[in-house]
């Protein structure tokens, strides 16, 4: 169960750190990143009590064509070019529930983000340029409860409700904001099937509900997303495989500005390679993961590449 304990840290981050961009919401960026939300053993909440620390870093670079109108900071931009480095420290508490089919955990994530945005505003504002960058604290992520059910030693299911709070840096007169100035509620379900040889299949799906940004009177639409990971085991704790994701906005954005750009619904699909390792880091159980997920298709959101590294330690 030690390997499973290491995996639990990502529940609080839903993936970890996987939420700075990018679907078609205000600014052309929202919470999820294509293929970055699922994690190894995503459906497993282990029964053993303890603390788990996870550190994740995601780099994303993408752009949207200059002929596409983008709602941003109360204006309309022509296209968008963005670079983001999102780094999150996540702490998870696994509660001691004893033997039985169910187990529970709670988590909190503290992110720091570098953002660089370039666009051409079609509405003239002398206090906002066409390029901006910043390094700021992003919105905190809370998972009050994650519940896992163990069908068998190889099949597992988890249910959770991660919540983003509008605690990050936000200025309606800046293009580059780490915070989004909205609450986001994300009911999530994940399933994991282990193959008994060091490999697995995990899938994670969620809906994202955004509150209104009162500074810009903009409400982003509801989002559906699903990510899947498949790996085969190698020697010495290593495994390799593929990871991918599909993002689909299922309702229009809502505001006078959103009406000007036709509701601005977005979607994306991407798939790429993933490498995992699990073992001992000193005397502590730990794990490592690296992935690259390029966007294959997008609509009303930047198209680019996402790279991530993640480290987990069990205490």
């Amino acid at each position: 169960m030690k390997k499973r304990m290491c995996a639990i840290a990502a529940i609080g981050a839903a993936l970890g750190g996987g939420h700075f961009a990018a679907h078609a919401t205000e600014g052309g960026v929202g919470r999820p990143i294509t293929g970055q939300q699922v994690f190894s053993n995503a459906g497993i909440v282990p029964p053993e009590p303890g603390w788990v620390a996870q550190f994740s870093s995601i780099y994303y670079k993408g752009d949207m064509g200059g002929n596409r109108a983008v709602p941003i900071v109360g204006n309309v931009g022509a296209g968008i070019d963005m670079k983001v480095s999102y780094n999150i420290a996540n702490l998870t508490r696994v509660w001691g529930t004893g033997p039985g089919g169910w187990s529970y955990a709670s988590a909190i994530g503290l992110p720091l983000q570098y953002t660089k945005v370039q666009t051409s505003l079609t509405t003239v504002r002398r206090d906002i340029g066409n390029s901006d960058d910043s390094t700021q604290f992003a919105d905190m992520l809370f998972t009050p409860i994650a519940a896992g059910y163990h069908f068998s030693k190889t099949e597992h299911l988890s249910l959770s409700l991660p919540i983003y709070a509008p605690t990050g840096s936000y200025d309606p007169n800046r293009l580059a904001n780490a915070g989004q100035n909205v609450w986001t509620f994300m009911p999530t379900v994940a399933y994991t099937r282990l193959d008994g040889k060091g490999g697995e299949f995990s899938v994670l799906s969620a809906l994202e509900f955004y509150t209104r940004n009162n500074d810009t009177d903009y409400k982003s639409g509801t989002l559906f997303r699903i990510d899947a990971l498949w790996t085969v085991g190698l020697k010495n704790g290593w495994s390799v495989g593929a990871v991918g994701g599909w993002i689909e906005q299922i309702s229009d954005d809502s505001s006078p500005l959103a009406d000007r750009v036709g509701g601005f619904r977005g979607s994306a699909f991407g798939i790429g390679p993933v490498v995992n390792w699990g073992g001992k880091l000193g005397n502590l159980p730990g794990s490592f993961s690296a992935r690259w997920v390029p966007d294959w298709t997008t609509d009303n959101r930047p198209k680019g590449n996402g790279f991530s590294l993640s480290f987990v330690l069990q205490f």
Side-chain angles (χ1 to χ4, degrees):
M1 294 298 291
K2 289 183 178 179
K3 182 180 178 183
R4 298 177 189 175
M5 174 64 89
C6 291
I8 190 64
I11 286 181
L15 158 56
H19 284 79
F20 60 79
H23 72 284
T25 62
E26 184 176 15
V29 295
R31 301 288 189 190
I33 311 160
T34 313
Q36 299 287 352
Q37 282 65 237
V38 72
F39 43 88
S40 182
N41 297 343
I44 302 176
V45 179
E48 298 94 341
W51 292 93
V52 182
Q54 180 193 34
F55 306 91
S56 296
S57 180
I58 302 175
Y59 174 78
Y60 181 84
K61 183 180 185 300
D63 64 84
M64 191 183 301
N67 61 346
R68 187 63 179 100
V70 182
I72 187 168
V73 292
N75 294 264
V76 176
I80 192 169
D81 191 321
M82 62 177 299
K83 298 178 183 178
V84 181
S85 176
Y86 182 90
N87 307 277
I88 187 169
N90 194 77
L91 185 65
T92 298
R93 172 62 180 178
V94 182
W95 304 107
T97 54
W102 289 93
S103 51
Y104 304 92
S106 302
I108 183 173
L110 304 175
L112 181 69
Q113 177 174 316
Y114 168 77
T115 312
K116 183 175 182 180
V117 176
Q118 291 181 298
T119 188
S120 297
L121 295 181
T122 59
T123 302
V124 177
R125 288 192 55 180
R126 296 180 180 179
D127 57 338
I128 301 179
N130 290 328
S131 179
D132 189 20
D133 65 274
S134 67
T135 300
Q136 304 167 322
F137 285 104
D139 294 335
M140 292 178 63
L141 177 62
F142 302 90
T143 304
I145 191 69
Y149 186 76
H150 312 286
F151 297 102
S152 67
K153 291 183 179 181
T154 58
E155 287 191 83
H156 309 266
L157 181 76
S158 70
L159 306 170
S160 60
L161 181 61
I163 301 169
Y164 275 101
T167 58
S169 299
Y170 179 81
D171 183 345
N173 296 315
R174 294 197 64 171
L175 296 176
N177 284 299
Q180 296 196 14
N181 201 39
V182 298
W183 291 86
T184 308
F185 301 90
M186 303 178 293
T188 301
V189 58
Y191 169 82
T192 291
R193 182 178 180 86
L194 306 174
D195 66 6
K197 302 177 182 179
E200 67 175 283
F201 171 75
S202 287
V203 59
L204 182 148
S205 183
L207 290 170
E208 297 193 3
F209 300 94
Y210 293 74
T211 61
R212 185 172 295 275
N213 184 341
N214 292 325
D215 284 345
T216 59
D217 191 29
Y218 197 103
K219 186 178 186 300
S220 297
T222 301
L223 183 75
F224 167 81
R225 55 178 168 84
I226 185 168
D227 292 60
L229 177 147
W230 171 79
T231 61
V232 294
L234 303 176
K235 295 181 179 179
N236 301 319
W238 289 93
S239 62
V240 297
V243 61
W246 171 41
I247 300 169
E248 188 71 32
Q249 190 171 334
I250 59 177
S251 66
D252 288 348
D253 293 350
S254 174
S255 79
L257 189 62
D259 292 341
R260 290 174 55 188
V261 292
F264 206 59
R265 292 198 191 194
S267 64
F269 172 78
I271 190 170
V274 61
V275 178
N276 298 325
W277 174 84
K280 287 274 191 167
L281 296 173
N283 295 322
L284 299 176
S287 65
F288 162 83
S289 181
R291 70 183 65 184
W292 164 48
V293 182
D295 291 316
W296 288 20
T297 63
T298 64
D299 183 34
N300 283 344
R301 59 143 282 170
K303 185 176 183 180
N305 292 270
F307 304 86
S308 70
L309 299 174
S310 180
F311 299 90
V312 179
L313 287 176
Q314 173 196 344
F315 298 93

